[in-house]
Amino acid sequence: MNMKYTITTPLYYVNDKPHLGSSYTTIACDAIARFQRLSGNTVLFLTGVDEHGQKIERTAVSKNLQPQLHCDEITEKYKYLWDKLNISYDRFVRTSSEEHTSIVHQFYSRVLESDDVYMGRQSGWYCVGCEEYKDIEDNDKSPICSIHKKELEWRDEENLFFRLSKYQDQIEKLIQVDGFISPKSRKNEIVNFVSKGLRDFSISRINLKWGINVPENKDHTFYVWFDALLGYVSGSLRDQSCPELTDDSLCNWPANIHVIGKDILRFHAVYWPAMLLSAGMKTPASVFGHGFLTREGQKMGKSLGNVLDPIELLEYGGIDAMRWYLLRDIEFGEDGDFQMKRFVDIVNSDLSNTIGNLLNRTITMSKKWFNDKIPIDKSLLTESSLKLHSEIKINEYIKSFNDSNFRNSANAIIDLANKANLYLNDRAPWKLIKDITKKEIVALDIYSVLETCRIIGLLLNPFVPDLSIRILNQLKIDSSSINFQKSLHWGLLDPDNGLEEPRPVMDKIEFNENSI
RNA sequence: GUCAGUGUAGCUCAGCCGGUUAGAGCACAGCAUUCAUAACGCUGAGGUCGAGAGUUCAAGUCUCUCCACUGACACCA
């Protein structure tokens, strides 16, 4: 069952500090990576930054910095945030690194060998913000980029082109493969796009210093996309100090899933596989384009001044709250709306009231009546109705997680916790315990609920690793080597193991209209 | 403009091939109450299922029109 599993975030563009959207993507990837590790797979979780391009060059100039220094600065902010969010990435790729440059050159030479590069001419209106040419109506003399609201620049330059058109048939076949593009709603868009016929695209720019030079074409540097996508390759090097692109120099190749924002789906689902085919490399197994976040119904943007800074959110609600809310309440794949009131409500209800309180009340009872040993007859364990419920919910959880359906997966945990709360209310051990002859029954009930708590603690791990550990710690369970196949069985909690003093594992967040 | 998707209680969403009084969770109100983090539990209030028309014995569920939002329509990290 031990399989390799590779997951990537996009390589974030270091034009500006990380925002909530990139945090969201990265948290989602982290949850998947953790889930896969717990499932016993060897995971390579890759993230990083894309550092080249004219936009960055200009941003650096405006800050009076060398591009490299600007990139260093922003990169640190990413690393700092991922650290704060407890992101368990294995590799952090920087496209300004030497090994990446080397990989790009080697990859390029493979593409050249396949005869997939030619010199062409490209002219048109160019948006530096987008780093791309725009289709503009002929009579427009001073067109403006609809995205950036800035004037476009007229360019007429020689570019190297990649023969994307050559891969029309192969790409059509690939994107038809069930599960290659997720969610399904986005697959049609890509299929549609490809069916209209693929055009070659440019892979180099001239007059751009801040980029990787194209061998034997001194004036050219690689277009950011060609450069950035290859970050997935350089991040997969078995030995990063030895950037050789050979058949076995990569580990865990290709990616099982590239998780990206819906805006860059095409690059990953079409251009990227074609590039790999050209270089004679394996294509990724799937690409997942998730949706975007709005805030209180409005698009987040500098002009509106409503950008939600992930650091501020983190300081306000804490890491568990932030991770839980984003994964639990926003349909992965669809656009979602961040609402502060709901953020507070969901987190308090799920994590503090339902789960936290369940653990707290049960441990209190256990310690009060049984001290550190719960006297149960293990042969009676199988009769607990909670055993059945937990098995059902574990299955739901795993199935949903495999479909990247975090919401349903999280709901399965909450359902189980609700069942346990109901079980307690139903059995009312605080009444039974008054009758000394019922003590064994009470012991079994308490044990069953504690065991359910253990399972909840485990299931929570990919979502909210910190909280998960706090729960397991109270149950005195070693959380360092959890394995779902081994740990998710009923009855593994040692009744003689003892319990820590009950202490709320999740404090409530106070809602405050103007908190952030 | 063309194509696609979405529009169900205050919020987030379920509602399969059309069929009795439209569901869940959260939020809200009342009751009850300590084993527990004013938590858990019980009860309740809340919707002309975007609008209009049509097909049908019967439509949230099918058809058409319209409205709103979202996305794609080639180089938007």
Side-chain angles (χ1 to χ4, degrees):
Chain A
M1 283 304 277
N2 192 318
M3 311 214 315
K4 64 101 194 165
Y5 191 93
T6 300
I7 178 169
T8 70
T9 73
L11 300 190
Y12 301 108
Y13 204 53
V14 295
N15 193 44
D16 206 351
K17 63 182 179 183
H19 52 254
L20 190 62
S22 37
S23 307
Y24 175 56
T25 316
T26 308
I27 287 170
C29 288
D30 185 59
I32 294 174
R34 287 174 185 273
F35 174 78
Q36 291 296 337
R37 287 193 198 101
L38 290 169
S39 301
N41 296 326
T42 303
V43 172
L44 174 67
F45 174 15
L46 202 155
T47 188
V49 286
D50 170 19
E51 309 179 272
H52 291 131
Q54 188 145 33
K55 190 155 56 166
I56 285 171
E57 190 175 50
R58 290 192 184 182
T59 302
V61 166
S62 73
K63 286 168 68 182
N64 233 332
L65 280 177
Q66 289 295 315
Q68 186 67 58
L69 286 176
H70 166 260
C71 291
D72 290 348
E73 206 175 84
I74 303 288
T75 297
E76 275 317 301
K77 291 187 178 178
Y78 273 95
K79 285 187 167 173
Y80 175 81
L81 181 58
W82 296 164
D83 194 39
K84 287 282 176 198
L85 288 171
N86 202 353
I87 303 302
S88 63
Y89 62 85
D90 300 298
R91 296 277 177 84
F92 190 102
V93 181
R94 293 191 60 172
T95 60
S96 65
S97 66
E98 278 178 33
E99 61 270 23
H100 179 68
T101 300
S102 169
I103 288 295
V104 170
H105 285 160
Q106 292 173 66
F107 188 92
Y108 178 64
S109 72
R110 286 196 181 194
V111 176
L112 279 179
E113 280 169 32
S114 299
D115 192 28
D116 285 337
V117 178
Y118 62 92
M119 186 66 82
R121 194 159 192 89
Q122 179 144 316
S123 64
W125 293 100
Y126 190 83
C127 173
V128 175
C130 302
E131 302 272 15
E132 69 188 29
Y133 288 92
K134 296 288 179 182
D135 281 348
I136 297 295
E137 287 175 36
D138 293 343
N139 52 9
D140 199 340
K141 296 286 191 237
S142 58
I144 288 173
C145 171
S146 57
I147 296 168
H148 292 85
K149 313 291 178 206
K150 284 185 181 167
E151 283 192 13
L152 300 178
E153 299 174 11
W154 177 257
R155 296 226 180 147
D156 181 5
E157 56 183 44
E158 280 197 322
N159 288 158
L160 291 164
F161 280 78
F162 172 72
R163 283 189 218 283
L164 181 63
S165 53
K166 179 172 148 187
Y167 296 94
Q168 178 79 33
D169 293 346
Q170 288 177 78
I171 293 298
E172 277 186 0
K173 265 184 207 153
L174 178 67
I175 60 179
Q176 282 298 346
V177 172
D178 198 38
F180 178 69
I181 297 173
S182 291
K184 279 198 178 126
S185 53
R186 297 194 207 293
K187 178 177 169 180
N188 282 346
E189 290 173 4
I190 299 293
V191 169
N192 220 325
F193 166 78
V194 174
S195 70
K196 287 177 186 164
L198 294 171
R199 285 191 237 153
D200 299 342
F201 71 98
S202 60
I203 57 169
S204 77
R205 294 285 183 268
I206 56 169
N207 301 322
L208 171 62
K209 281 190 180 158
W210 185 237
I212 293 175
N213 69 301
V214 178
E216 287 153 36
N217 286 280
K218 280 190 177 171
D219 299 335
H220 292 249
T221 50
F222 284 107
Y223 173 50
V224 284
W225 273 108
F226 190 81
D227 169 351
L229 286 165
L230 291 174
Y232 298 135
V233 179
S234 40
S236 299
L237 282 167
R238 185 165 278 123
D239 178 359
Q240 289 191 290
S241 61
C242 176
E244 290 297 318
L245 186 56
T246 62
D247 285 345
D248 57 9
S249 64
L250 302 179
C251 60
N252 270 28
W253 187 266
N256 292 68
I257 185 168
H258 290 300
V259 177
I260 50 170
K262 62 185 183 180
D263 54 333
I264 54 174
L265 183 56
R266 190 199 308 142
F267 292 93
H268 285 76
V270 180
Y271 293 25
W272 173 229
M275 283 164 59
L276 290 169
L277 288 169
S278 172
M281 294 173 68
K282 286 181 184 159
T283 53
S286 70
V287 179
F288 193 108
H290 72 250
F292 285 158
L293 297 175
T294 51
R295 180 179 183 183
E296 312 293 346
Q298 284 191 307
K299 212 172 224 178
M300 279 189 263
K302 281 183 185 161
S303 51
L304 277 168
N306 65 344
V307 176
L308 181 55
D309 180 20
I311 300 272
E312 285 181 34
L313 180 62
L314 194 54
E315 283 168 358
Y316 172 62
I319 177 174
D320 296 310
M322 185 166 161
R323 292 179 59 118
W324 181 255
Y325 173 78
L326 291 174
L327 295 173
R328 143 80 218 259
D329 203 43
I330 288 168
E331 173 89 47
F332 195 53
E334 300 304 309
D335 287 349
D337 191 35
F338 184 95
Q339 298 171 10
M340 195 49 91
K341 177 75 165 68
R342 190 165 165 80
F343 170 76
V344 172
D345 284 342
I346 290 280
V347 169
N348 286 346
S349 171
D350 290 347
L351 302 184
S352 300
N353 297 349
T354 302
I355 292 174
N357 182 52
L358 172 70
L359 181 72
N360 195 252
R361 68 194 297 208
T362 315
I363 290 184
T364 302
M365 286 186 273
S366 181
K367 288 192 94 73
K368 195 168 181 176
W369 303 324
F370 305 111
N371 204 0
D372 267 357
K373 317 276 183 193
I374 309 168
I376 55 157
D377 178 351
K378 273 209 160 191
S379 65
L380 295 174
L381 267 183
T382 51
E383 292 178 15
S384 175
S385 66
L386 283 176
K387 174 178 187 279
L388 185 64
H389 285 309
S390 73
E391 280 163 0
I392 291 169
K393 292 303 166 185
I394 287 168
N395 283 338
E396 275 180 31
Y397 169 96
I398 290 175
K399 184 180 180 301
S400 299
F401 223 116
N402 281 323
D403 293 340
S404 303
N405 188 338
F406 302 125
R407 163 180 285 168
N408 285 352
S409 210
N411 277 335
I413 305 176
I414 295 302
D415 287 349
L416 183 57
N418 282 331
K419 283 274 191 276
N421 271 317
L422 280 168
Y423 183 82
L424 280 178
N425 283 3
D426 187 40
R427 306 286 297 178
W430 49 90
K431 286 180 185 161
L432 288 180
I433 197 68
K434 289 173 182 165
D435 179 350
I436 194 69
T437 64
K438 303 266 176 64
K439 196 163 180 180
E440 279 182 26
I441 298 173
V442 174
L444 198 58
D445 284 345
I446 295 294
Y447 179 87
S448 296
V449 178
L450 284 174
E451 175 62 349
T452 306
C453 287
R454 183 185 68 90
I455 287 168
I456 289 168
L458 294 173
L459 297 181
L460 239 20
N461 195 271
F463 287 95
V464 280
D466 291 30
L467 174 60
S468 164
I469 287 173
R470 265 177 276 138
I471 290 172
L472 295 175
N473 280 348
Q474 291 219 346
L475 297 170
K476 289 199 175 173
I477 291 167
D478 175 19
S479 51
S480 61
S481 57
I482 309 167
N483 176 296
F484 275 172
Q485 267 107 40
K486 289 179 187 152
S487 312
L488 287 178
H489 295 293
W490 186 258
L492 292 179
L493 182 69
D494 180 358
D496 294 334
N497 202 36
L499 300 162
E500 294 292 341
E501 282 304 314
R503 189 157 292 161
V505 286
M506 189 73 196
D507 292 329
K508 288 192 193 175
I509 308 170
E510 209 169 308
F511 178 63
N512 180 337
E513 200 92 41
N514 306 309
S515 45
I516 300 184

